[in-house]
Amino acid sequence: MVSEEFTQKAAAVQSLTQRPNDDELLQLYGLYKQATVGDNTTDKPGLFDFKGKYKWEAWDKLKGTSQEDAEKQYIALADELIAKYN
């Protein structure tokens, strides 16, 4: 169960005035999935699904990170991005 602060940061990131770069977005995605779902147990996307593969890898590299730690890391990254892109 994610905290209210996490939910607020996720909403704030969705309404940034500028778009973060792809690496930042992938990092956000991985941390979000790890915080909300836990370890990635899904099959890796197909060879030609580049976007899906990058998202899967961003989440999978966090395997073993607790949901609480992922939430804290997500909030910290969201704060950085909000300061940088708003």
Side-chain angles (χ1 to χ4, degrees):
M1 182 83 178
V2 294
S3 69
E4 180 64 29
E5 182 182 14
F6 178 88
T7 305
Q8 290 171 353
K9 297 296 180 184
V13 166
Q14 293 293 320
S15 60
L16 292 173
T17 56
Q18 294 179 354
R19 183 183 183 276
N21 67 44
D22 290 341
D23 289 337
E24 292 165 331
L25 290 172
L26 285 170
Q27 192 177 2
L28 268 178
Y29 175 82
L31 288 168
Y32 183 89
K33 292 294 279 186
Q34 189 69 21
T36 57
V37 178
D39 285 345
N40 182 356
T41 59
T42 63
D43 292 334
K44 190 171 185 174
L47 185 62
F48 295 106
D49 182 2
F50 297 111
K51 183 177 178 181
K53 183 181 83 160
Y54 290 128
K55 289 169 75 174
W56 185 91
E57 289 172 349
W59 180 18
D60 195 61
K61 76 178 181 182
L62 295 167
K63 196 171 276 189
T65 303
S66 74
Q67 288 182 270
E68 294 79 19
D69 285 344
E71 182 176 331
K72 289 175 189 171
Q73 291 176 47
Y74 181 94
I75 290 169
L77 178 59
D79 284 339
E80 282 180 41
L81 297 179
I82 290 166
K84 185 176 179 181
Y85 293 109
N86 257 350

